[in-house]
Amino acid sequence: MAFFVPWLVDAARTATAGTGRSVIAVSGWESRGHGGMRSLEVVVGHHTATPETARGDYPSQNVVTNGRAGLAGPLANFGLGRSGNVYVIAAGVAFHAGASAYAGFVDLNDEAIGIEAEDSGDGTWTPDQLFMYPRLVAACLLYMRRGVDRYASHRTVAVPAGRKVDPTGISDEWMRQRAALPLENQVDPVEWDRKYTFGRTGLTTEYGNFIGETNVAANHAANGTDALQESVTALAADLAKVSTRLDQIATGDVDYATLAKAVADEMDRRVRDGDSRTGPVS
């Protein structure tokens, strides 16, 4: 029996809880749709492909809600704004997936929740979107009682293969990895912005995480001072362990105290002079 999804606002509030982001329930969302859903099996990620010159947080709202020439709205169940705000658009069937297949299901419009995130398609996302997108996916899957394997991008589900590319710059693997984290453990946007460097071709991180279809090289340049301090601290801890161990060795012909001091002095010199033998510090 077809049904309209009653919990969309609740899922959006779960995703945004404690983040300072807003939930915008578009008037009429409860009964908006091309009929009711048949089941809830998949969450499909999209980008709107609206030009960057369009102003506002979610300039695609009207099109996603009401449709465009040749395709009646709604075109998604949720919208995601540039600031990370979540727009609740339609509780019923939205025309977002088209010809599609995934996880044994076909023609996913009446079996999948569609999220249209505001982006031109150039793969450049705001830090707020990269923080909130997986949270919204995770919240939807939580309410659907499905695992992260039930998230897929539009490019993954579209038939024939290669028909769609969205959401450009965000791989299915990255989204699933992020959505698998408990919501309270998701990276704070301020911390995210500090740790990560954004580019048009993807995301470079000091942890080697990735956005896009391939890993990008880890980059510590922005955090070189922190890395050096961490290396010095680690060296000091290692030296303390050495000193403790030396104290436990029975006294013999070797002056272990003098040896320990010599080791400490040499390590200090290497750190001070930037000797490569101390290992990488950035």
Side-chain angles (χ1 to χ4, degrees):
M1 187 173 83
F3 61 94
F4 284 73
V5 185
W7 45 255
L8 295 188
V9 167
D10 293 332
R13 288 173 176 164
T14 298
T16 59
T19 69
R21 289 3 180 256
S22 298
V23 174
I24 295 91
V26 179
S27 179
W29 72 270
E30 304 97 322
S31 57
R32 182 174 292 113
H34 304 280
M37 303 291 288
R38 185 158 57 89
S39 64
L40 289 176
E41 303 294 345
V42 183
V43 175
V44 178
H46 305 261
H47 66 236
T48 61
T50 301
E52 295 291 342
T53 53
R55 305 186 67 175
D57 181 49
Y58 195 59
S60 302
Q61 179 181 334
N62 182 60
V63 171
V64 175
T65 303
N66 300 309
R68 53 179 170 78
L71 189 61
L75 305 184
N77 304 97
F78 286 106
L80 180 65
R82 291 163 174 159
S83 66
N85 291 335
V86 177
Y87 295 75
V88 181
I89 294 169
V93 173
F95 288 165
H96 64 92
S100 52
Y102 184 73
F105 304 97
V106 297
D107 297 330
L108 297 173
N109 284 337
D110 60 358
E111 295 172 312
I113 294 292
I115 302 172
E116 282 281 1
E118 189 65 49
D119 185 72
S120 66
D122 65 358
T124 301
W125 299 86
T126 69
D128 296 298
Q129 287 176 312
L130 293 174
F131 174 57
M132 286 303 304
Y133 210 154
R135 288 180 66 92
L136 182 56
V137 169
C140 289
L141 292 171
L142 175 67
Y143 276 79
M144 291 165 58
R145 302 296 189 266
R146 297 293 184 269
V148 293
D149 60 307
R150 289 297 181 87
Y151 167 82
S153 63
H154 196 192
R155 65 178 167 274
T156 295
V157 306
V159 176
R163 183 172 68 85
K164 294 292 182 178
V165 298
D166 55 317
T168 299
I170 297 180
S171 73
D172 290 22
E173 292 78 10
W174 179 87
M175 185 70 83
R176 291 169 190 153
Q177 288 172 359
R178 295 293 306 170
L181 296 174
L183 290 176
E184 62 270 21
N185 289 348
Q186 297 277 354
V187 177
D188 177 87
V190 174
E191 178 72 1
W192 181 279
D193 198 30
R194 185 181 77 82
K195 294 287 187 182
Y196 296 77
T197 301
F198 296 89
R200 298 180 68 84
T201 59
L203 176 65
T204 300
T205 85
E206 66 172 303
Y207 305 119
N209 293 348
F210 60 88
I211 290 226
E213 301 307 333
T214 57
N215 267 331
V216 292
N219 178 1
H220 292 262
N223 299 285
T225 301
D226 289 343
L228 177 59
Q229 181 59 51
E230 290 171 1
S231 296
V232 172
T233 301
L235 286 173
D238 289 342
L239 289 174
K241 293 177 182 178
V242 170
S243 296
T244 299
R245 179 57 181 154
L246 290 174
D247 289 342
Q248 295 171 347
I249 298 176
T251 302
D253 295 333
V254 178
D255 185 344
Y256 289 106
T258 301
L259 177 61
K261 185 177 185 307
V263 170
D265 290 344
E266 174 63 11
M267 296 305 287
D268 286 342
R269 183 196 67 76
R270 292 184 183 185
V271 172
R272 182 179 63 252
D273 297 342
D275 193 317
S276 61
R277 288 174 293 174
T278 61
V281 294
S282 63

